[in-house]
């Protein structure tokens, strides 16, 4: 009697253990991929389901969107600029069976694909495109990574380039370029303002010049503007018409004009000037003596005797 009761208790405990081991519960955002004796049975869930203990094996797969940060990658753009770029990747599992059967670790595999794709896409783009057309680069990254991870049952929703690190010399060059662009815009705006002002001034000059008293009214307006500032010195512009009136008066003390002297005449000699010079005395003759040439000695006059003469 006691042995039968103990046997029943043991059987009951075993049934309870087997029941709890065969009962599996997965969340709404999860799926359980069941393998029976190594063969695929299929996905289970969400909610409770039963498996055969020891024979069946369940692999849980999370269907929520996962965030994967791509480490900083150093690459060279198409215009030979070295940059350091990192990105962030958003993806989720659409097919849990493919995510378990077709790839060993879909998270690590997706990370490696994202790194290689990021380097290759940035190597085909220029630096200006990387800085100004980042949306286009993000779309290319998302499309390429999604095509490569589709056989794994993974859907890549978004890829965003987070930070772009440029060398210091390139940053200084870009700062100089931006400064030059600002100066160019300022000069263009200033030139346009000068052009518009010159047109308006020309129109105002025509209107004021059409009336004789207009310029004098403008002088008076200028004087009134100067007097507001409480200046001790006032410069009054004098019209040139007033000076022309005084220049027409006769000058009684005017001195008679003196005619300038006539220019001097210079005579040019037509006959050439001949200068006579004495020819130098001839050299002494040389007479041959015995087949040899010897100079003939001549007696020089006595200078003393000439002096006495």
């Amino acid at each position: 009697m006691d042995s039968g009761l103990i046997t029943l208790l043991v059987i009951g405990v075993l049934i309870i253990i087997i029941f709890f081991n065969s009962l599996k519960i997965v969340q709404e955002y999860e799926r359980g991929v069941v393998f029976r004796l190594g063969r695929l049975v299929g996905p289970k869930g969400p909610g409770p389901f039963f498996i055969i203990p020891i024979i069946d094996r369940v692999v849980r797969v999370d269907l929520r969107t996962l965030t994967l940060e791509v480490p900083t990658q150093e690459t060279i753009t198409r215009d030979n600029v070295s940059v350091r770029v990192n990105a962030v990747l958003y993806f989720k599992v659409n097919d849990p069976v493919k995510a378990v059967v077709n790839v060993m670790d879909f998270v690590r595999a997706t990370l490696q694909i994202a790194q290689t794709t990021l380097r290759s896409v940035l190597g085909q783009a220029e630096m200006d495109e990387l800085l100004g057309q980042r949306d286009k680069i993000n779309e290319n990254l998302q499309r390429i990574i999604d095509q490569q991870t589709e056989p794994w049952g993974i859907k890549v929703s978004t890829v965003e380039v987070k930070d772009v690190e440029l060398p210091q010399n390139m940053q200084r060059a870009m700062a100089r370029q931006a400064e030059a662009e600002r100066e160019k815009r300022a000069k263009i705006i200033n030139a346009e303002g000068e052009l518009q002002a010159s047109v308006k001034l020309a129109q105002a000059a025509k209107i004021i010049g059409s009336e004789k008293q207009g310029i004098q009214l403008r002088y008076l307006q200028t004087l009134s503007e100067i007097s507001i500032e409480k200046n001790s010195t006032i410069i009054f512009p004098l019209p040139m018409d007033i000076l022309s009136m005084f220049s027409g008066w006769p000058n009684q003390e005017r001195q008679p004009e003196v005619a300038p002297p006539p220019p001097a005449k210079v005579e040019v000699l037509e006959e050439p000037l001949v200068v006579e010079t004495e020819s130098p005395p001839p050299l002494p003759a040389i007479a041959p003596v015995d087949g040899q040439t010897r100079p003939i000695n001549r007696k020089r006059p006595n200078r003393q005797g000439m002096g006495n003469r």
Side-chain angles (χ1 to χ4, degrees), residues 60-120:
R60 297 175 181 267
V61 179
D62 197 336
L63 301 182
R64 292 176 294 181
T65 300
L66 301 178
T67 303
L68 190 62
E69 184 175 358
V70 181
T72 302
Q73 304 295 316
E74 186 172 358
T75 183
I76 299 177
T77 60
R78 189 170 61 182
D79 50 354
N80 298 327
V81 178
S82 178
V83 294
R84 294 171 57 88
V85 182
N86 59 355
V88 61
L89 178 68
Y90 299 91
F91 70 98
K92 65 178 181 179
V93 178
N94 283 344
D95 192 345
V97 176
K98 292 182 179 180
V100 174
V101 176
N102 294 346
V103 63
M104 181 177 179
D105 187 355
F106 62 89
V107 176
R108 185 172 180 273
T110 304
L111 176 61
Q112 297 298 324
I113 287 293
Q115 291 181 10
T116 55
T117 305
L118 180 62
R119 286 195 295 266
S120 63

Side-chain angles (χ1 to χ4, degrees), residues 263-269:
K265 295 183 179 181
V266 179
E267 296 181 357
V268 179
L269 298 177

Side-chain angles (χ1 to χ4, degrees), residues 1-13:
M1 195 64 188
D2 295 334
S3 60
L5 182 60
I6 292 171
T7 304
L8 291 176
L9 290 175
V10 171
I11 294 173
V13 171

Side-chain angles (χ1 to χ4, degrees), residues 22-87:
S22 61
L23 178 63
K24 299 296 181 180
I25 300 175
V26 294
Q27 303 297 329
E28 183 67 28
Y29 53 84
E30 291 180 339
R31 294 294 184 271
V33 181
V34 180
F35 291 90
R36 180 169 297 164
L37 296 176
R39 298 184 64 87
L40 177 66
V41 177
K44 299 292 184 180
F49 62 93
F50 292 94
I51 62 172
I52 300 175
I54 304 174
I55 297 177
D56 293 344
R57 184 173 65 90
V58 179
V59 179
R60 297 175 181 267
V61 179
D62 197 336
L63 301 182
R64 292 176 294 181
T65 300
L66 301 178
T67 303
L68 190 62
E69 184 175 358
V70 181
T72 302
Q73 304 295 316
E74 186 172 358
T75 183
I76 299 177
T77 60
R78 189 170 61 182
D79 50 354
N80 298 327
V81 178
S82 178
V83 294
R84 294 171 57 88
V85 182
N86 59 355

Side-chain angles (χ1 to χ4, degrees), residues 173-247:
M174 293 177 64
R176 290 194 299 268
Q177 180 183 2
E179 185 178 358
E181 185 69 22
R182 293 293 181 181
E183 290 180 358
K184 184 187 74 172
R185 292 180 183 178
K187 290 180 180 179
I188 292 175
I189 294 173
N190 189 16
E192 291 178 354
E194 292 290 340
L195 177 60
Q196 296 177 2
S198 63
V199 172
K200 296 299 180 181
L201 287 174
Q203 294 177 359
K206 290 181 181 179
I207 295 173
I208 294 175
S210 61
E211 297 293 336
K212 296 181 179 181
Q213 303 299 328
I215 190 65
Q216 296 182 3
L217 293 175
R218 182 58 180 156
Y219 290 158
L220 295 175
Q221 183 181 359
T222 304
L223 290 176
S224 63
E225 292 177 357
I226 295 174
S227 62
I228 295 175
E229 300 296 333
K230 297 180 181 180
N231 294 328
S232 60
T233 303
I234 296 177
I235 300 174
F236 183 77
L238 187 64
M240 298 301 296
D241 297 339
I242 298 176
L243 296 178
S244 62
M245 294 173 59
F246 289 99
S247 63

